[in-house]
Amino acid sequence: MKPIVAVTRKIPEAGLSLLRAKFDLRLNKKDGVLAAPELKKIVKGASGVVALLTDKIDDSVLSAAGRELKVIANFAVGYDNVDLVAAKKRKIIVTNTPGVLTEAVAEHAIALLMAVARRIVESDKFTRAGRYEGWEPELLLGPELSGKTLGIIGLGRIGSRVAELAALGLRMKIIYYDNGNRNRELEGKFGAEAVSMRKVITASDAISIHVPLLPTTRHLFGKAELASMKPSAILINTSRGPVVDEKALAAALKNKVIWGAGLDVFEFEPKISPELLKLDNVVMTPHTASATIEARNAMATLAAKNIIAVLEGRAALTPVRP
Ligand code: GLV
């Protein structure tokens, strides 16, 4: 009998075919997130599980899986949905998909930044509504990004690539805060400057957040931080929703405490604050920053290869090291 691998929601065929060739594949047939009881059912008796960031993999789910379970391959770079302590206790390897989605997410962060600055969505709505009656000198003005300062919070793989795209592509000046760490390579390459968190908040014309969700990063941006940003500043979040206090952000956008925001993630997603939905100075996407065809295929392949490696007795390619 082949080992069972459960996949909690359909992922690209590139990964499924690798798994199908070696294992007895148990795939969530419904096109939707599994509720806890369904999740427990699908993982029962599985040796490997491909999980999504929308699956809460806690001790009760691991316990429902049973003793066969050796590996959870999270189909995401973030893994705040997995209880790592519980997994470790049960000697279950947890893997994620770093690297393969760096370009996709970095491009998306820049896309959001440009969309907010140049009011692309608002302009599109305006045009479709038949409101364009002729060229106007002051129609839909926004800030130019070239020469402005981009503050990066978290200079890991994605943050570094965003910094590079902004510095080399948009000629922005880069300042960053990465938990006190320095990245001398990027400093040398385009003069990125390590500064305090406070300086990133107060001196940036735009801020892009690239930190994992941890107890220490929850509500990293709240009312006080937003109030300390320049009134002309733009906040971009492609990391995790709870890193920003969404209620405080909606109020700050409404009251023009900051110029605008670009959000791919939400504090209580898939729910979004109704206040945000009413505002023109926020551009929102439904957690699709990694949604390039290339990245999603590569994520599926990497998740599958992690499962295969562990179940064949080899080391995981990209284990999570808390
Ligand atoms: C997406 O949010 C991811 O963590 O991959």
Side-chain angles (χ1 to χ4, degrees), residues 242-296:
V243 173
V244 176
D245 177 343
E246 195 167 298
K247 206 164 172 242
L249 177 62
L253 289 168
K254 186 169 175 213
N255 301 324
K256 306 277 169 13
V257 173
I258 63 171
W259 163 273
L263 306 174
D264 185 51
V265 287
F266 304 90
E267 186 167 3
F268 305 104
E269 64 184 68
K271 291 204 182 82
I272 299 177
S273 301
E275 295 82 21
L276 281 181
L277 300 178
K278 292 185 209 137
L279 299 170
D280 271 333
N281 55 348
V282 56
V283 173
M284 294 174 282
T285 50
H287 208 147
T288 47
S290 71
T292 63
I293 298 154
E294 291 84 351
R296 291 287 164 88

Side-chain angles (χ1 to χ4, degrees), residues 21-250:
K22 294 190 180 263
F23 308 112
D24 192 355
L25 205 59
R26 195 187 282 162
L27 186 60
N28 167 14
K29 298 271 182 344
K30 85 170 189 189
D31 189 23
V33 177
L34 295 175
E38 300 168 304
L39 188 57
K40 287 179 184 166
K41 196 164 155 211
I42 200 172
V43 300
K44 191 164 191 282
S47 299
V49 174
V50 176
L52 306 191
L53 58 90
T54 41
D55 300 319
K56 190 166 162 42
I57 307 291
D58 59 14
D59 195 50
S60 72
V61 172
L62 299 176
S63 152
R67 303 168 75 88
E68 288 306 312
L69 186 59
K70 308 268 176 322
V71 53
I72 301 274
N74 214 36
F75 183 77
V77 67
Y79 45 84
D80 47 278
N81 58 308
V82 184
D83 182 342
L84 295 181
V85 176
K88 188 163 182 216
K89 201 177 70 195
R90 293 170 186 273
K91 298 198 170 53
I92 296 165
I93 309 274
V94 178
T95 68
N96 64 342
T97 60
V100 294
L101 44 65
T102 302
E103 292 298 326
V105 178
E107 286 178 10
H108 200 83
I110 295 290
L112 285 173
L113 175 61
M114 297 183 78
V116 176
R118 300 307 303 275
R119 303 168 67 176
I120 298 296
V121 176
E122 193 185 347
S123 299
D124 179 85
K125 278 195 218 154
F126 177 93
T127 311
R128 281 173 203 272
R131 292 173 60 197
Y132 177 47
E133 289 172 355
W135 192 88
E136 282 181 51
E138 292 187 303
L139 180 63
L140 289 160
L141 301 184
E144 196 157 294
L145 294 169
S146 176
K148 299 276 168 54
T149 297
L150 176 65
I152 307 267
I153 307 278
L155 202 69
R157 281 175 295 263
I158 299 171
S160 300
R161 184 62 182 140
V162 170
E164 189 171 42
L165 289 171
L168 303 181
L170 297 171
R171 298 207 188 104
M172 295 185 81
K173 171 178 162 44
I174 307 296
I175 58 176
Y176 71 93
Y177 175 74
D178 185 51
N179 247 342
N181 300 319
R182 297 273 301 266
N183 185 325
R184 292 183 201 272
E185 193 194 326
L186 293 199
E187 290 179 17
K189 218 162 157 187
F190 45 75
E193 191 190 337
V195 297
S196 65
M197 172 85 184
R198 174 92 199 142
K199 177 93 192 273
V200 171
I201 291 172
T202 56
S204 299
D205 297 299
I207 296 177
S208 195
I209 307 175
H210 301 286
V211 295
L213 177 61
L214 299 166
T216 48
T217 60
R218 186 173 291 272
H219 283 194
L220 195 62
F221 279 77
K223 190 173 175 202
E225 290 72 24
L226 293 163
S228 303
M229 287 171 67
K230 292 185 184 178
S232 54
I234 293 170
L235 183 67
I236 304 297
N237 189 11
T238 53
S239 65
R240 283 292 180 267
V243 173
V244 176
D245 177 343
E246 195 167 298
K247 206 164 172 242
L249 177 62

